[in-house]
Amino acid sequence: MTSVGIDAVELWTGNLKLDLAETFAPEKGDDPEKYTKGLGLRASSFPDSYEDIVTMGANAAKRLMDRKGLEPDDIGRIDVATESSFDNSKPISTYIAGCLEQVYEGDFHHANKGERKFACIAGTQSIDDAYNWIRAGRNRGRKAIVVATDTALYERGDAGEATQGAGAVALLIDEDPDLVELTMEQGYGSADETDFLKPNQQFPSVDGKRSVQVYLARMREALEDYESVAGDVHLEDFAYAPFHTPFPGMVRKAAALAYRHVTRDTEHEEALAEEIGRQPRRESFDDDAEYEEAVREYMSALKDTDQYREWYDATVDPTLSISRDVGNWYTASVHVARIAALKYAYENDRDVTGESLLVASYGSGAQAEIHGETVQDGWHEEIAELNVDEQVAARYDLSWAEYEEVHDRHNHDMDKELEEFTTPNEEFVFDGWGRMGERKYTYVE
Ligand code: COA
């Protein structure tokens, strides 16, 4: 069977940064540790005045094409996943293709383009679409580009304001991939939920506390569904578990839930029993409230055990290192987590060739999806080419007053002009409006 997966990946962060401990917390009158420890975030990325979802996506895609020596003719499909679109009809992929056509010979006229929407899970769904297109043999030997790009802005004062972020990930989906092969099995947990939505509005209506519960509930369903097709998941099966990461504290909760689930009735549960007891079983309790209290107590004790911490530090914590400094990139977040895990392996001289990743995606509204990936021979070379640290370090550090202006600049209901804070260099920039209200872009050398 043809091996299909992610051949290469590139990332592009917004060029500005808001420091949560130094700048955000003092303005809110909060303890900085609420952000650094509680949510697990140091900073958020923001778009400069000339940046948006198109520039960030096109810049990531250009890095990808340049690095892999690709021309437009090599690409049969461009899908964009976003929940920050500014157009209800014309897909962002057309804008991105238009940008790329400014800098490459040839065009993408024979590439199928689209835009995928299902909150933060749409990036993973776009990879799926590309995978299916290739596996069905409809790709004519061509590859697909998937771009997950978002400007995750919340209403000023919303609880989600601390978790904002802006950036894009571009992924090349191809046969015989260099980075990871996707496995066939998938598990879904999907239900009609109202935890986070944008009914024709730019900033989301969010029930933050509920969204955390829905994330966990759908993730549990997806894991059970995954196990029903792939067999029981064991802790030893996976080198890393990249989760959708709206903020690292969310993943801390999801990881503990997953650990409890996969260790039930295993030697891991037995090994912990002396220290914290066995996991509560529903049938041993008279009512739900008692059972839920017992589960809470077990989870709280579990998180403090050496056994759990060792697993978490080795398998989950490495996936969070980029997210901590850039915030929530919505559709791109789980793909940032995958990059972070492989970057960690690369930097720590760990050879993960042939090992597996358990990838857990989530989108509000709500749906979780879990699948496995196998790391390929070329992963080391691919990861070596990334410049994540340089991009993150080069961001302009905003003061509070500047942050307020940047937020207004990107508020679609405001017509705010703002001088840029950084100087664009070899990248696409937004440079004004066309006659039909379309956004226009140019490439700056
Ligand atoms: N030191 C250490 N930790 C602290 C702290 C301090 N001084 N102050 C607070 N915390 C912890 C809290 O205990 C909490 O952790 P816990 O949930 O593990 O108990 C965490 O920091 C967040 O504090 P909380 O008071 O719950 O934050 P909040 O009410 O401001 O909002 C969200 C949290 C998630 C609801 C909010 O960020 C949000 O709405 N985000 C957007 C939606 C989202 O991303 N949902 C996720 C699913 S997609």
Side-chain angles (χ1 to χ4, degrees):
M1 199 157 53
T2 324
S3 160
V4 178
I6 304 170
D7 191 52
V9 63
E10 279 289 349
L11 157 166
W12 191 277
T13 175
N15 287 333
L16 307 178
K17 153 192 168 186
L18 177 67
D19 191 298
L20 292 172
E22 299 288 323
T23 312
F24 189 82
E27 279 300 323
K28 297 282 173 184
D30 283 334
D31 179 353
E33 294 202 339
K34 171 175 176 182
Y35 303 107
T36 52
K37 294 225 166 94
L39 296 177
L41 288 166
R42 285 191 284 259
S44 305
S45 284
F46 282 89
D48 206 338
S49 49
Y50 56 85
E51 293 185 287
D52 65 15
I53 50 172
V54 172
T55 64
M56 295 185 299
N59 287 323
K62 180 173 182 300
R63 276 189 63 89
L64 191 73
M65 288 186 60
D66 285 351
R67 184 154 73 67
K68 299 301 275 187
L70 298 171
E71 296 295 329
D73 274 354
D74 299 319
I75 307 300
R77 190 175 175 109
I78 304 178
D79 283 312
V80 169
T82 185
E83 46 189 308
S84 322
S85 189
F86 47 77
D87 196 311
N88 284 326
S89 177
K90 184 174 153 61
I92 297 303
S93 49
T94 60
Y95 287 93
I96 289 181
C99 285
L100 296 171
E101 284 171 356
Q102 293 179 32
V103 295
Y104 293 105
E105 295 284 322
D107 58 50
F108 297 96
H109 286 201
H110 303 298
N112 187 7
K113 307 181 189 91
E115 188 171 307
R116 253 289 189 173
K117 178 177 70 182
F118 196 147
C120 303
I121 202 172
T124 299
Q125 291 181 316
S126 300
I127 294 175
D128 248 16
D129 292 341
Y131 174 93
N132 294 336
W133 171 72
I134 295 171
R135 288 295 296 272
R138 303 177 90 180
N139 59 323
R140 299 186 236 155
R142 296 174 302 168
K143 308 159 200 310
I145 289 180
V146 167
V147 177
T149 181
D150 270 300
T151 299
L153 292 183
Y154 288 76
E155 194 107 51
R156 297 287 314 282
D158 189 287
E161 193 180 2
T163 69
Q164 296 176 116
V169 169
L171 307 110
L172 188 68
I173 313 302
D174 197 7
E175 289 173 30
D176 299 323
D178 284 340
L179 194 63
V180 293
E181 179 188 350
L182 302 186
T183 57
M184 282 288 282
E185 295 81 15
Q186 294 176 293
Y188 288 97
S190 190
D192 177 10
E193 299 275 8
T194 43
D195 52 336
F196 173 116
L197 53 156
K198 297 182 177 180
N200 285 328
Q201 63 196 43
Q202 183 188 4
F203 301 128
S205 298
V206 195
D207 184 341
K209 302 281 183 214
R210 176 149 176 72
S211 74
V212 170
Q213 295 313 317
V214 174
Y215 179 122
L216 296 174
R218 302 286 78 79
M219 206 57 97
R220 179 208 303 268
E221 269 179 5
L223 185 56
E224 285 168 355
D225 193 42
Y226 176 74
E227 288 187 314
S228 77
V229 283
D232 285 352
V233 170
H234 303 108
L235 291 183
E236 305 74 27
D237 295 345
F238 297 95
Y240 299 108
F243 281 84
H244 168 55
T245 312
F247 53 93
M250 180 70 244
V251 174
R252 267 201 314 262
K253 292 182 206 289
L257 182 136
Y259 189 94
R260 179 165 68 94
H261 180 91
V262 307
T263 57
R264 195 169 304 140
D265 297 321
T266 68
E267 73 273 23
H268 299 288
E269 184 187 14
E270 290 312 318
L272 283 168
E274 205 169 307
E275 196 179 346
I276 61 168
R278 291 182 76 237
Q279 297 185 19
R281 304 302 206 262
R282 179 67 194 87
E283 56 276 16
S284 320
F285 291 84
D286 291 335
D287 64 55
D288 286 348
E290 266 181 46
Y291 168 64
E292 279 156 22
E293 183 50 33
V295 168
R296 266 194 293 278
E297 278 174 22
Y298 182 85
M299 296 296 266
S300 164
L302 172 68
K303 286 185 199 161
D304 289 335
T305 62
D306 289 345
Q307 183 177 312
Y308 177 76
R309 290 247 42 111
E310 274 167 31
W311 171 80
Y312 180 86
D313 289 347
T315 314
V316 180
D317 196 59
T319 69
L320 305 175
S321 62
I322 302 173
S323 161
R324 265 191 249 292
D325 283 313
V326 304
N328 193 356
W329 289 9
Y330 287 163
T331 54
S333 289
V334 65
H335 310 295
V336 168
R338 182 195 295 100
I339 294 173
L342 295 175
K343 180 170 173 288
Y344 176 87
Y346 173 83
E347 287 165 356
N348 288 278
D349 291 329
R350 179 162 175 211
D351 184 7
V352 286
T353 309
E355 293 197 38
S356 298
L357 309 179
L358 187 73
V359 180
S361 305
Y362 172 75
S364 290
Q367 180 160 302
E369 188 261 12
I370 289 184
H371 69 265
E373 297 178 359
T374 311
V375 181
Q376 301 296 291
D377 290 348
W379 77 274
H380 200 262
E381 216 171 300
E382 285 300 320
I383 297 299
E385 293 291 332
L386 301 182
N387 69 344
V388 180
D389 294 341
E390 291 87 327
Q391 286 192 40
V392 167
R395 292 172 302 170
Y396 175 87
D397 191 2
L398 293 166
S399 69
W400 180 257
E402 289 167 342
Y403 158 65
E404 291 189 304
E405 290 194 304
V406 168
H407 200 285
D408 287 351
R409 162 73 178 171
H410 294 286
N411 183 334
H412 297 170
D413 293 334
M414 290 184 169
D415 199 12
K416 166 119 184 125
E417 290 297 321
L418 184 65
E419 279 290 304
E420 58 250 36
F421 296 94
T422 56
T423 308
N425 178 29
E426 297 189 343
E427 61 192 273
F428 295 101
V429 298
F430 164 67
D431 73 348
W433 302 88
R435 70 186 173 94
M436 290 177 72
E438 75 277 23
R439 294 171 73 89
K440 310 268 286 177
Y441 300 92
T442 48
Y443 186 74
V444 173
E445 295 290 342

